[in-house]
Amino acid sequence: MKHLRKISALVIALIMVASIAIGIGVIFSVRNINVALQSYADGDGNGNVREAVKQEVLSSCKGRMISAVSEVDVINCLGEGYTLESFEKVLPCTINITVRQRREAFAVVSGEAYLMYDETGLLMRTAETNENAFDLSPNVILEGTENDEDIKTVAEVCEIFKSSTNFSSLRSLVDKIVLYKSRTSVIVEKDRLTFYLRCGISVEINDFSQQTAEKIAKSHKRFKELAGEQILSGRIYTFTNADGEVVATYNPNA
């Protein structure tokens, strides 16, 4: 009888443990996905994209323990046109995500084709012509970049260039960007980045990895000081002088 009581107690304990485990599993399993979308388009299309992303993530994660769902699981559900900006778990059963639409910004000539990169310098697609997939206008041509790291570096500088306190635009303003990497140990020979504007003038940032924001701000200030006919040609040179001061000069004959 004692053995039967012990076995009965053990069975009851196991049933209770299983019940608790099942209850916890139900309570903390993913049931809700909230999607915020950062998009460049307006209208009903955004709602359709949000719903599509939500359903895709739900199909992969619904019913799983929330603790077992990671950012990677969500990223794997996104198409190549979107990136995950934020990921938040809200206990017991909800995941909030913010998804950003990737937008083409740069084009690199590759043989007879173009490699299209987004604003962060990540490859998006290969195309036969330099036409942005979103608005069909040209992307900014990159020259002198030798690898993906170079492209990401240029993209980081462009974020400063196109900020609202500087030139406020990139693709509509810039036709081409040329990266020059110094091949010598001569101290006066520095890496430089040159922006060829569609209006005709170019802006050269010498030793662009140093005092980047200040140099771009100075070049923008000098650009704004030019007369209308001056921005049709010439070049603005921005550099650090011997006194450590950032200087922007204009050469109309460059």
Side-chain angles (χ1 to χ4, degrees):
M1 291 296 292
K2 290 183 179 180
H3 292 297
L4 290 176
R5 284 197 295 268
K6 289 181 179 180
I7 292 173
S8 299
L10 179 59
V11 171
I12 293 171
L14 290 174
I15 292 173
M16 291 181 63
V17 169
S19 300
I20 293 171
I22 292 171
I24 292 174
V26 171
I27 293 171
F28 291 97
S29 63
V30 175
R31 292 197 296 276
N32 302 314
I33 303 290
N34 295 323
V35 179
L37 176 65
Q38 297 177 358
S39 174
Y40 301 104
D42 298 321
D44 296 335
N46 286 343
N48 295 335
V49 170
R50 279 194 297 270
E51 184 62 26
V53 171
K54 177 179 178 178
Q55 294 304 320
E56 191 68 28
V57 177
L58 273 175
S59 67
S60 174
C61 302
K62 187 175 182 180
R64 294 172 56 186
M65 288 289 290
I66 193 169
S67 60
V69 178
S70 68
E71 294 184 30
V72 174
D73 295 313
V74 175
I75 291 171
N76 290 337
C77 295
L78 302 179
E80 65 177 14
Y82 298 89
T83 58
L84 182 65
E85 289 291 290
S86 67
F87 174 88
E88 178 190 19
K89 296 177 182 180
V90 181
L91 297 179
C93 61
T94 300
I95 294 177
N96 295 332
I97 62 174
T98 300
V99 176
R100 179 177 63 83
Q101 180 186 16
R102 294 174 64 192
R103 181 164 62 174
E104 293 176 14
F106 307 108
V108 176
V109 177
S110 177
E112 297 182 354
Y114 293 89
L115 302 179
M116 302 301 195
Y117 292 81
D118 70 7
E119 294 170 310
T120 67
L122 294 177
L123 180 65
M124 290 190 70
R125 66 186 179 100
T126 300
E128 295 182 356
T129 59
N130 181 20
E131 291 184 349
N132 185 280
F134 180 71
D135 58 20
L136 302 182
S137 297
N139 290 321
V140 178
I141 295 290
L142 298 186
E143 294 182 359
T145 52
E146 300 174 349
N147 49 53
D148 289 344
E149 285 305 311
D150 285 347
I151 295 172
K152 289 179 181 179
T153 297
V154 173
E156 290 172 359
V157 177
C158 288
E159 282 296 316
I160 303 173
F161 182 93
K162 70 177 184 179
S163 69
S164 59
T165 56
N166 290 313
F167 288 87
S168 301
S169 181
L170 185 68
R171 287 180 52 232
S172 63
L173 185 65
V174 180
D175 175 57
K176 179 175 66 175
I177 301 173
V178 177
L179 169 65
Y180 175 81
K181 300 170 74 173
S182 174
R183 306 298 181 184
T184 73
S185 59
V186 179
I187 192 168
V188 295
E189 184 76 355
K190 303 288 188 180
D191 294 351
R192 59 180 180 267
L193 205 57
T194 306
F195 295 79
Y196 289 83
L197 275 57
R198 299 188 187 279
C199 60
I201 196 173
S202 58
V203 177
E204 181 178 303
I205 311 296
N206 197 296
D207 197 14
F208 66 88
S209 62
Q210 304 298 319
Q211 298 173 283
T212 309
E214 186 177 358
K215 288 177 179 176
I216 291 177
K218 279 291 181 71
S219 65
H220 177 250
K221 183 176 183 295
R222 189 71 186 92
F223 177 79
K224 297 294 288 184
E225 293 170 348
L226 298 177
E229 65 273 10
Q230 289 179 304
I231 67 172
L232 301 180
S233 61
R235 178 169 296 190
I236 294 173
Y237 294 92
T238 308
F239 57 93
T240 304
N241 65 17
D243 297 324
E245 178 186 4
V246 173
V247 177
T249 63
Y250 170 68
N251 183 348
N253 300 314

